[in-house]
Amino acid sequence: MPREILQDKDGLNQRYFRKRALYLAHLAHHLAQDPLFGSVCFSYTNGCHLKPSLLLRPHGKDERLVTVRLHPCPPPDFFRLCRLLPSKNNVRSAWYRGHSPPGDGSSEPPTPHYNTWILQDTALESHVQLLSTVLGSALGLKDGVALLKVWLRQRELDKGLGGFSGFLVSMLVAFLVSTRKIHTTMSGYQVLRSVLQFLADFHRTFPVVFLDSSGHLNLCADVTASTYHQVQHEARLSMMLLDSKAEDGFQLLLMTPKPMIRAFDHILHLCPLSRLQAACHRLKLWPELQDNGGDYVSAALGPLTTLLEQGLGSRLQLLAHSRPPVSEWAISQDPPKHRESGTLTLGLLLRPEGLASVLELGPEADQPEATDFRQFWGSRSELRRFQDGAIREAVVWEAVSMFQKRLIPHQVVTHLLAIHADIPDTCVHYMGGLLDALIQGLKETSSTGEEALAAAVRCYDDLSRLLWGLEGLPLTVSAVQGAHPVLRYTEVFPPTPVWPAYSFHEQLRERASLLPRPDKPCPAYVEPMTVVCHLEGSGQWPQEAEAIRRVRAAFQLRLAELLTQQHGLQCRATATHTDVLKDGFVFRIRVAYQREPQILKEMRSPEGMISLRDTPASFRLEKDTRHLPLLTSALHGLQQQHPAFSGVARLAKRWVRAQLLGEGFTDESLDLVAAALFLHPEPFTPPSSPQVGFLRFLFLVSTFDWKNNPLIVNLNSELTVEEQVEIRSGFLGTRAQLPVMVIITPQDRKSSIWTQDGPSPQILQQLVLLAAEALPVLEKQLMDPRGPGDIRTVFRPPLDMYDVLIRLSPRHIPRHRQAVDSPAASFCRGLLSEPGSSSLMPVLGYDPPQLYLAQLRKAFGELALFFYDQHGGEVIGVLWNPTSFRPQHFKASNTKGHMVVSQSGESVIVPNIEAILEDFAILGEGLVQTVEARSERWTV
C-alpha cells in the first residue's frame, strides 16, 4: 500500500483495516474492467473478517485452474513494533463501545488478536522470502510440505479462522530446519515424519505460541486450543500408524479423508449463530469482542469449548470445532454478516470407559469446593449420602439403557449452555443417537436392544452352568460354547423373553388365546439360540459316521430328560438338537464330538488305505462346531472391550438386509467387517458410538479393494505383522481359488470360510455401489444444522432395478414390526408379558416369507434371483437370469417353466413368463398380495 495514504496512528481503532479495505476496493474497481480477468471477487484471508483479499481468475477454460490472491500490506517498518505487543491496546473502549472503561482505575483491555492481524501484514513479505530461501532448492523439503498440507486437508484442520493452515506448517518446517531438527537432504517422507513427531510432543516445549524470526509475531495467535489439541491428537495417531509399519500406512495416512462427521462420535450444531451474541453478554466477553472486532463467534468459541470440556470431563477424549469458510462474494455485493456464516459445529470424541456412568461426583458438602460445584452445575447439583457414609454434592443424569447413557453428553451440553451461556436447547442440534431407533426392537418392550442381548447372554451363562453340572450323562461335558449372533451381541433384533402360557389352571384359556385369528393369523417369530455342547472323547464312541450320528441322537434325548428331571425345564428333543425353554429364552443345544469332522473326511481306497479329504459334510460340521463357537467367543470379548461394537454390527446388518441383499452375506461375514472397524480403525480411533461406526462401515465397504486384497481381521491380536505380510503376499497367487470377498482371521488364514457361499461378484458390486451412494447422503443429513430430516431414507431399498416385484400381505409377516418403516399394529400372536409356573414351548422359526422364498428358489432358481428383507419386508424383488432367456433346443427334461415356440423353422423353448408369474402367485396363495411385472425392463 502507498505510504501516502497511511498516517501515523492508523494502527488505532481499525483505521488501518478500513483503509486497507478501501484500497482493495479501489484495485477491484479497476481490475474488474480489465478484459484479462474473467472473475474478480472478494474473500476473507484465513476467515478474518477485518482482512479481505482480492481473488483474480482468468477468462476461459483456465478460470478453475488459476487463482491469484492479492494481499495488501503496509510499507516495511511503517508500524512501530512496540505498539503491537500482545499486552497493548489499539482499540479504544470509548470508540468501540461508545463509553470509556469503568473509572475504577483499570486500564484499557489488551487487544492481542487485533495487534497480531496487523503484524501478519507487516511480516508477510519477509515470511515469503524466508520460505523461498529455505525451501527453494531442497526438493525433499518441498515434497514434505506438500505431504503435510495433504495431511491437514484430509483431516479438515486447515479450514478458516483458527485453523492450522498450510502457511503455518511451512513456517514450522522452516523453524525445524533452523534448529537442525530437519535437514535439507531429507526426503519428503522423512520431513513428514519429523514434523508429526514434533507436533505429537509439542506440548512439552511450549503452549500454542510459535514466534517468527522477528520475535514479535505469534504465528499461532489465531489457532485455538481445541484446534491445537486436535492437531496433536492427529499427529500422535499418525506416528502410531507409521511406527506400525503397516503395508497400507501411506494410503491410510494421506489418502483417507477424515471429515468431522466420520472422525467424531457425536456432532452438535449451534445455530443460529446470532445466539452467540447473547452468550457473549452472559459470559461478559466485552474485551474479547473488542479484540476480535465484534466477531462474537470467535470471542465466544474459547470460553464455550472450555466450559464443555470441564462439564464432559472423563467422558470426553477430544473436543473439536468447525466453522464453515466464508464464501467469496462479488465486488458489487456487501460482505456476509457473522450471522450469515453458517453454523458452529462441535465434534465430541468420547471415551467408552466413561460413558456408562450416570453420576458426576462432587466434593463433600463441607468442603470449600462444594460452592464452585453447585455454581457450575446449577439446579442439577444435589446433596446425596453414599454407602461409605459420605455426604457429597452430585449430579445424576436420567439414563437407564446403554442407548440413553451414550446420550448423556447431550444432557450435559444442553444444560451447561443454557445456564452459563444463555443458549437454549432449541439452538443445540445434537446428532448422536439418531440411527439407534432402527435397531431398538418393539416399542412395547421396556429394555432396549443391548439390554435384551445382555439378558439373553446371562440366561445362556446360567444354562451353561446347568449343563456342566448335569448328573446321569454317560460322558462328561467338556465344553459349552455359544454359536449364535445373540451370544456375540450382534443379533439385529434381540429375542424378547417369551411366556406363551401362565399357570396350569389357565393353560386351556391361554392355548385358545394363542390360536390364529382372522386379524392375527400367525404366531410370533421366535428363533432359538444355538449352543454347542461338546462331550469328552472316549473309546466308547464308535468310529463310523452313521453310528456317531445315532449316538449323538441318543445323547440329545437323554439331555432333554435330564434337564427336565433335574431343573424342570421345558425341552423338545430331536435327532440333531434339543430345544430348551429357560427364563423365556429358547436355546437349541447341539451335541458335538470333536473327532466327527475328521471321521467324515476319511476316504477308504479299494486297497483299504485311508486318506483324509474335505467333504461338504465335514466342512459344514467343522464350521458349525469349531469355527463358529470360536468366532462367537472372540466377538463376545470384543464387545466387552468396545461397547459400541454391538450397535455398529447390528446397524450394518440392518442396512444390508434392508437393501434386500441379506441372503448374499452370512451373519459372520458382516460381523467381521464391523469388527475390523474396531481392531483396525486407522487412521481413526475405535468408534464409541454406533452412528460413527456405521458411517465408517459404509466407507470401508465402498472403498476397500475386495478384488486385490483380503480383509484381515486380527482377532485377539494373534497375527503378527510378519504373518499378515505373508498372508497378503500369498493372496494373489491363490486368488482364483478364493471367493470374491475374502475375510481372513487367525483361525481361518487361507480359505475365508464365512464367504465361501457368497456373495456373488454381482451382489458384492451392488453392495459397494449402494454404500457409496448412501454414505454422502447420510453424512449430509447429519451435518445439516436444520435437522437430519428422514434418517431412514438410506435404509429404504431401491426397487426400480428389479424385473418383478412380489408384494406380500403384512398379516402373514411375523417380523413385520422390524421393518424400516415400522407399522403401528402387529399381526402376530403368542407373546405374553409375564412368566408363569408352567410354560409351553413356543412355535420356533415360523416365518412364511422365508418358507415361500425357499420354494421360489427351489422351483425357479435357474431362471431368477430373489431378494428380500428378512426383517419385516413387504416386497420380494425378482431379477431374471439373462442367460435363461436365450432360446434353447427342445428337450423334454428342460421344459419346466418354458414353452415351445418356432424360430426360423426350428422348435425351441423360451421361458413362459406369464405362467411363471402365475405360479409365483399360486405358490404364495394367501401370502402374496400382487405380482407386479415390470415389463419395460425385459423382453423375451
Side-chain angles (χ1 to χ4, degrees), residues 850-879:
Q850 292 290 356
L851 299 172
Y852 176 52
L853 274 171
Q855 290 184 319
L856 288 176
R857 290 184 175 122
K858 181 179 179 181
F860 305 105
E862 295 181 356
L863 293 173
L865 296 173
F866 300 90
F867 302 86
Y868 178 66
D869 175 10
Q870 68 194 58
H871 296 297
E874 293 185 26
V875 63
I876 296 174
V878 184
L879 279 178

mmCIF file of all heavy atoms in Angstrom, residues 850-879:
data_model
loop_
_atom_site.group_PDB
_atom_site.id
_atom_site.type_symbol
_atom_site.label_atom_id
_atom_site.label_comp_id
_atom_site.label_asym_id
_atom_site.label_seq_id
_atom_site.Cartn_x
_atom_site.Cartn_y
_atom_site.Cartn_z
ATOM 1 N N GLN A 850 -39.988 -66.524 4.486
ATOM 2 C CA GLN A 850 -38.778 -67.313 4.254
ATOM 3 C C GLN A 850 -39.120 -68.680 3.674
ATOM 4 O O GLN A 850 -38.400 -69.197 2.800
ATOM 5 C CB GLN A 850 -38.004 -67.469 5.569
ATOM 6 C CG GLN A 850 -37.396 -66.181 6.105
ATOM 7 C CD GLN A 850 -36.240 -65.687 5.245
ATOM 8 O OE1 GLN A 850 -35.823 -66.324 4.293
ATOM 9 N NE2 GLN A 850 -35.731 -64.508 5.574
ATOM 10 N N LEU A 851 -40.202 -69.281 4.132
ATOM 11 C CA LEU A 851 -40.636 -70.569 3.584
ATOM 12 C C LEU A 851 -41.028 -70.413 2.111
ATOM 13 O O LEU A 851 -40.727 -71.275 1.270
ATOM 14 C CB LEU A 851 -41.812 -71.120 4.393
ATOM 15 C CG LEU A 851 -41.515 -71.397 5.877
ATOM 16 C CD1 LEU A 851 -42.802 -71.759 6.620
ATOM 17 C CD2 LEU A 851 -40.492 -72.508 6.012
ATOM 18 N N TYR A 852 -41.698 -69.310 1.813
ATOM 19 C CA TYR A 852 -42.092 -69.022 0.425
ATOM 20 C C TYR A 852 -40.864 -68.796 -0.458
ATOM 21 O O TYR A 852 -40.782 -69.317 -1.577
ATOM 22 C CB TYR A 852 -43.009 -67.797 0.429
ATOM 23 C CG TYR A 852 -43.436 -67.306 -0.938
ATOM 24 C CD1 TYR A 852 -43.994 -68.181 -1.864
ATOM 25 C CD2 TYR A 852 -43.288 -65.974 -1.294
ATOM 26 C CE1 TYR A 852 -44.395 -67.730 -3.114
ATOM 27 C CE2 TYR A 852 -43.682 -65.504 -2.528
ATOM 28 C CZ TYR A 852 -44.227 -66.388 -3.444
ATOM 29 O OH TYR A 852 -44.613 -65.948 -4.677
ATOM 30 N N LEU A 853 -39.890 -68.062 0.075
ATOM 31 C CA LEU A 853 -38.657 -67.824 -0.686
ATOM 32 C C LEU A 853 -37.940 -69.129 -0.990
ATOM 33 O O LEU A 853 -37.403 -69.310 -2.098
ATOM 34 C CB LEU A 853 -37.720 -66.903 0.106
ATOM 35 C CG LEU A 853 -37.921 -65.405 -0.052
ATOM 36 C CD1 LEU A 853 -37.066 -64.669 0.969
ATOM 37 C CD2 LEU A 853 -37.543 -64.945 -1.453
ATOM 38 N N ALA A 854 -37.906 -70.047 -0.034
ATOM 39 C CA ALA A 854 -37.249 -71.333 -0.255
ATOM 40 C C ALA A 854 -37.931 -72.091 -1.389
ATOM 41 O O ALA A 854 -37.250 -72.708 -2.233
ATOM 42 C CB ALA A 854 -37.270 -72.156 1.035
ATOM 43 N N GLN A 855 -39.256 -72.027 -1.444
ATOM 44 C CA GLN A 855 -39.975 -72.694 -2.531
ATOM 45 C C GLN A 855 -39.687 -72.027 -3.870
ATOM 46 O O GLN A 855 -39.498 -72.707 -4.887
ATOM 47 C CB GLN A 855 -41.479 -72.666 -2.248
ATOM 48 C CG GLN A 855 -41.899 -73.574 -1.093
ATOM 49 C CD GLN A 855 -43.408 -73.587 -0.929
ATOM 50 O OE1 GLN A 855 -44.055 -72.547 -1.042
ATOM 51 N NE2 GLN A 855 -43.955 -74.762 -0.642
ATOM 52 N N LEU A 856 -39.654 -70.692 -3.888
ATOM 53 C CA LEU A 856 -39.359 -69.983 -5.140
ATOM 54 C C LEU A 856 -37.976 -70.342 -5.662
ATOM 55 O O LEU A 856 -37.792 -70.586 -6.864
ATOM 56 C CB LEU A 856 -39.449 -68.471 -4.911
ATOM 57 C CG LEU A 856 -40.836 -67.871 -4.705
ATOM 58 C CD1 LEU A 856 -40.719 -66.380 -4.400
ATOM 59 C CD2 LEU A 856 -41.704 -68.081 -5.938
ATOM 60 N N ARG A 857 -36.991 -70.367 -4.767
ATOM 61 C CA ARG A 857 -35.614 -70.647 -5.203
ATOM 62 C C ARG A 857 -35.474 -72.091 -5.677
ATOM 63 O O ARG A 857 -34.717 -72.369 -6.601
ATOM 64 C CB ARG A 857 -34.651 -70.343 -4.060
ATOM 65 C CG ARG A 857 -34.533 -68.848 -3.770
ATOM 66 C CD ARG A 857 -33.514 -68.540 -2.699
ATOM 67 N NE ARG A 857 -33.359 -67.095 -2.557
ATOM 68 C CZ ARG A 857 -33.559 -66.421 -1.440
ATOM 69 N NH1 ARG A 857 -33.900 -67.077 -0.335
ATOM 70 N NH2 ARG A 857 -33.400 -65.106 -1.403
ATOM 71 N N LYS A 858 -36.203 -72.995 -5.033
ATOM 72 C CA LYS A 858 -36.137 -74.390 -5.460
ATOM 73 C C LYS A 858 -36.773 -74.590 -6.823
ATOM 74 O O LYS A 858 -36.254 -75.322 -7.674
ATOM 75 C CB LYS A 858 -36.842 -75.267 -4.413
ATOM 76 C CG LYS A 858 -36.805 -76.758 -4.738
ATOM 77 C CD LYS A 858 -37.483 -77.560 -3.652
ATOM 78 C CE LYS A 858 -37.462 -79.058 -3.993
ATOM 79 N NZ LYS A 858 -38.149 -79.865 -2.952
ATOM 80 N N ALA A 859 -37.889 -73.898 -7.050
ATOM 81 C CA ALA A 859 -38.619 -74.096 -8.309
ATOM 82 C C ALA A 859 -38.065 -73.265 -9.455
ATOM 83 O O ALA A 859 -38.049 -73.721 -10.615
ATOM 84 C CB ALA A 859 -40.104 -73.771 -8.091
ATOM 85 N N PHE A 860 -37.595 -72.048 -9.165
ATOM 86 C CA PHE A 860 -37.223 -71.128 -10.244
ATOM 87 C C PHE A 860 -35.807 -70.566 -10.084
ATOM 88 O O PHE A 860 -35.475 -69.541 -10.669
ATOM 89 C CB PHE A 860 -38.220 -69.957 -10.292
ATOM 90 C CG PHE A 860 -39.648 -70.382 -10.430
ATOM 91 C CD1 PHE A 860 -40.505 -70.329 -9.334
ATOM 92 C CD2 PHE A 860 -40.137 -70.859 -11.632
ATOM 93 C CE1 PHE A 860 -41.821 -70.733 -9.438
ATOM 94 C CE2 PHE A 860 -41.462 -71.268 -11.753
ATOM 95 C CZ PHE A 860 -42.303 -71.208 -10.660
ATOM 96 N N GLY A 861 -34.977 -71.237 -9.289
ATOM 97 C CA GLY A 861 -33.631 -70.722 -9.026
ATOM 98 C C GLY A 861 -32.770 -70.590 -10.266
ATOM 99 O O GLY A 861 -31.862 -69.755 -10.301
ATOM 100 N N GLU A 862 -33.035 -71.399 -11.310
ATOM 101 C CA GLU A 862 -32.236 -71.292 -12.536
ATOM 102 C C GLU A 862 -32.695 -70.145 -13.416
ATOM 103 O O GLU A 862 -31.952 -69.680 -14.274
ATOM 104 C CB GLU A 862 -32.314 -72.601 -13.319
ATOM 105 C CG GLU A 862 -31.673 -73.782 -12.595
ATOM 106 C CD GLU A 862 -31.754 -75.051 -13.418
ATOM 107 O OE1 GLU A 862 -32.380 -74.999 -14.504
ATOM 108 O OE2 GLU A 862 -31.223 -76.084 -12.975
ATOM 109 N N LEU A 863 -33.917 -69.696 -13.196
ATOM 110 C CA LEU A 863 -34.480 -68.635 -14.036
ATOM 111 C C LEU A 863 -34.337 -67.247 -13.429
ATOM 112 O O LEU A 863 -34.305 -66.252 -14.163
ATOM 113 C CB LEU A 863 -35.966 -68.900 -14.288
ATOM 114 C CG LEU A 863 -36.324 -70.113 -15.142
ATOM 115 C CD1 LEU A 863 -37.819 -70.326 -15.145
ATOM 116 C CD2 LEU A 863 -35.804 -69.934 -16.564
ATOM 117 N N ALA A 864 -34.260 -67.148 -12.117
ATOM 118 C CA ALA A 864 -34.314 -65.825 -11.498
ATOM 119 C C ALA A 864 -33.589 -65.831 -10.150
ATOM 120 O O ALA A 864 -33.349 -66.876 -9.550
ATOM 121 C CB ALA A 864 -35.775 -65.399 -11.295
ATOM 122 N N LEU A 865 -33.250 -64.619 -9.696
ATOM 123 C CA LEU A 865 -32.719 -64.388 -8.353
ATOM 124 C C LEU A 865 -33.787 -63.665 -7.544
ATOM 125 O O LEU A 865 -34.502 -62.796 -8.073
ATOM 126 C CB LEU A 865 -31.443 -63.535 -8.412
ATOM 127 C CG LEU A 865 -30.237 -64.143 -9.127
ATOM 128 C CD1 LEU A 865 -29.121 -63.104 -9.232
ATOM 129 C CD2 LEU A 865 -29.743 -65.377 -8.398
ATOM 130 N N PHE A 866 -33.885 -64.002 -6.259
ATOM 131 C CA PHE A 866 -34.930 -63.452 -5.411
ATOM 132 C C PHE A 866 -34.290 -62.710 -4.237
ATOM 133 O O PHE A 866 -33.372 -63.225 -3.590
ATOM 134 C CB PHE A 866 -35.850 -64.566 -4.893
ATOM 135 C CG PHE A 866 -36.532 -65.324 -5.990
ATOM 136 C CD1 PHE A 866 -35.945 -66.457 -6.541
ATOM 137 C CD2 PHE A 866 -37.751 -64.892 -6.495
ATOM 138 C CE1 PHE A 866 -36.564 -67.154 -7.567
ATOM 139 C CE2 PHE A 866 -38.379 -65.572 -7.524
ATOM 140 C CZ PHE A 866 -37.787 -66.716 -8.064
ATOM 141 N N PHE A 867 -34.783 -61.498 -3.947
ATOM 142 C CA PHE A 867 -34.197 -60.624 -2.931
ATOM 143 C C PHE A 867 -35.286 -60.192 -1.958
ATOM 144 O O PHE A 867 -36.376 -59.797 -2.371
ATOM 145 C CB PHE A 867 -33.564 -59.390 -3.588
ATOM 146 C CG PHE A 867 -32.503 -59.720 -4.598
ATOM 147 C CD1 PHE A 867 -32.829 -59.989 -5.924
ATOM 148 C CD2 PHE A 867 -31.169 -59.769 -4.230
ATOM 149 C CE1 PHE A 867 -31.851 -60.300 -6.855
ATOM 150 C CE2 PHE A 867 -30.186 -60.080 -5.145
ATOM 151 C CZ PHE A 867 -30.520 -60.348 -6.458
ATOM 152 N N TYR A 868 -34.922 -60.227 -0.652
ATOM 153 C CA TYR A 868 -35.939 -59.949 0.372
ATOM 154 C C TYR A 868 -35.264 -59.454 1.643
ATOM 155 O O TYR A 868 -34.143 -59.849 1.966
ATOM 156 C CB TYR A 868 -36.746 -61.216 0.657
ATOM 157 C CG TYR A 868 -37.789 -61.065 1.729
ATOM 158 C CD1 TYR A 868 -38.889 -60.227 1.545
ATOM 159 C CD2 TYR A 868 -37.677 -61.746 2.944
ATOM 160 C CE1 TYR A 868 -39.849 -60.078 2.545
ATOM 161 C CE2 TYR A 868 -38.634 -61.608 3.941
ATOM 162 C CZ TYR A 868 -39.721 -60.762 3.733
ATOM 163 O OH TYR A 868 -40.669 -60.606 4.708
ATOM 164 N N ASP A 869 -35.956 -58.563 2.357
ATOM 165 C CA ASP A 869 -35.516 -58.088 3.662
ATOM 166 C C ASP A 869 -36.194 -58.941 4.728
ATOM 167 O O ASP A 869 -37.403 -58.821 4.953
ATOM 168 C CB ASP A 869 -35.884 -56.605 3.839
ATOM 169 C CG ASP A 869 -35.558 -56.078 5.235
ATOM 170 O OD1 ASP A 869 -34.871 -56.792 5.996
ATOM 171 O OD2 ASP A 869 -35.985 -54.957 5.559
ATOM 172 N N GLN A 870 -35.407 -59.824 5.390
ATOM 173 C CA GLN A 870 -35.986 -60.754 6.350
ATOM 174 C C GLN A 870 -36.574 -60.056 7.567
ATOM 175 O O GLN A 870 -37.358 -60.644 8.298
ATOM 176 C CB GLN A 870 -34.921 -61.746 6.806
ATOM 177 C CG GLN A 870 -33.805 -61.141 7.638
ATOM 178 C CD GLN A 870 -32.620 -62.077 7.762
ATOM 179 O OE1 GLN A 870 -32.021 -62.493 6.775
ATOM 180 N NE2 GLN A 870 -32.272 -62.421 8.993
ATOM 181 N N HIS A 871 -36.214 -58.795 7.782
ATOM 182 C CA HIS A 871 -36.745 -58.060 8.934
ATOM 183 C C HIS A 871 -38.014 -57.298 8.552
ATOM 184 O O HIS A 871 -38.057 -56.074 8.524
ATOM 185 C CB HIS A 871 -35.697 -57.102 9.474
ATOM 186 C CG HIS A 871 -34.483 -57.783 10.018
ATOM 187 N ND1 HIS A 871 -34.516 -58.623 11.101
ATOM 188 C CD2 HIS A 871 -33.199 -57.769 9.603
ATOM 189 C CE1 HIS A 871 -33.311 -59.090 11.337
ATOM 190 N NE2 HIS A 871 -32.493 -58.590 10.448
ATOM 191 N N GLY A 872 -39.035 -58.051 8.233
ATOM 192 C CA GLY A 872 -40.351 -57.451 8.036
ATOM 193 C C GLY A 872 -40.601 -56.857 6.672
ATOM 194 O O GLY A 872 -41.513 -56.036 6.521
ATOM 195 N N GLY A 873 -39.821 -57.261 5.668
ATOM 196 C CA GLY A 873 -40.028 -56.714 4.325
ATOM 197 C C GLY A 873 -41.371 -57.103 3.748
ATOM 198 O O GLY A 873 -41.871 -58.208 3.982
ATOM 199 N N GLU A 874 -41.965 -56.202 2.976
ATOM 200 C CA GLU A 874 -43.272 -56.455 2.361
ATOM 201 C C GLU A 874 -43.148 -56.753 0.875
ATOM 202 O O GLU A 874 -44.165 -56.958 0.208
ATOM 203 C CB GLU A 874 -44.198 -55.245 2.542
ATOM 204 C CG GLU A 874 -44.594 -54.981 3.976
ATOM 205 C CD GLU A 874 -45.601 -53.851 4.085
ATOM 206 O OE1 GLU A 874 -46.345 -53.607 3.109
ATOM 207 O OE2 GLU A 874 -45.651 -53.201 5.138
ATOM 208 N N VAL A 875 -41.931 -56.766 0.333
ATOM 209 C CA VAL A 875 -41.769 -56.959 -1.099
ATOM 210 C C VAL A 875 -40.587 -57.879 -1.361
ATOM 211 O O VAL A 875 -39.560 -57.826 -0.675
ATOM 212 C CB VAL A 875 -41.585 -55.599 -1.817
ATOM 213 C CG1 VAL A 875 -40.315 -54.896 -1.349
ATOM 214 C CG2 VAL A 875 -41.549 -55.766 -3.327
ATOM 215 N N ILE A 876 -40.760 -58.761 -2.348
ATOM 216 C CA ILE A 876 -39.671 -59.617 -2.843
ATOM 217 C C ILE A 876 -39.299 -59.116 -4.232
ATOM 218 O O ILE A 876 -40.159 -59.005 -5.120
ATOM 219 C CB ILE A 876 -40.099 -61.091 -2.902
ATOM 220 C CG1 ILE A 876 -40.393 -61.619 -1.495
ATOM 221 C CG2 ILE A 876 -39.019 -61.941 -3.568
ATOM 222 C CD1 ILE A 876 -40.957 -63.032 -1.485
ATOM 223 N N GLY A 877 -38.018 -58.762 -4.412
ATOM 224 C CA GLY A 877 -37.548 -58.322 -5.718
ATOM 225 C C GLY A 877 -37.042 -59.504 -6.524
ATOM 226 O O GLY A 877 -36.347 -60.379 -6.001
ATOM 227 N N VAL A 878 -37.395 -59.537 -7.802
ATOM 228 C CA VAL A 878 -37.008 -60.645 -8.684
ATOM 229 C C VAL A 878 -36.194 -60.098 -9.850
ATOM 230 O O VAL A 878 -36.611 -59.139 -10.510
ATOM 231 C CB VAL A 878 -38.252 -61.394 -9.222
ATOM 232 C CG1 VAL A 878 -37.832 -62.590 -10.061
ATOM 233 C CG2 VAL A 878 -39.152 -61.827 -8.069
ATOM 234 N N LEU A 879 -35.046 -60.700 -10.080
ATOM 235 C CA LEU A 879 -34.225 -60.373 -11.250
ATOM 236 C C LEU A 879 -34.105 -61.622 -12.116
ATOM 237 O O LEU A 879 -33.689 -62.682 -11.642
ATOM 238 C CB LEU A 879 -32.811 -59.916 -10.824
ATOM 239 C CG LEU A 879 -32.643 -58.480 -10.365
ATOM 240 C CD1 LEU A 879 -31.195 -58.228 -9.951
ATOM 241 C CD2 LEU A 879 -33.027 -57.499 -11.469
#
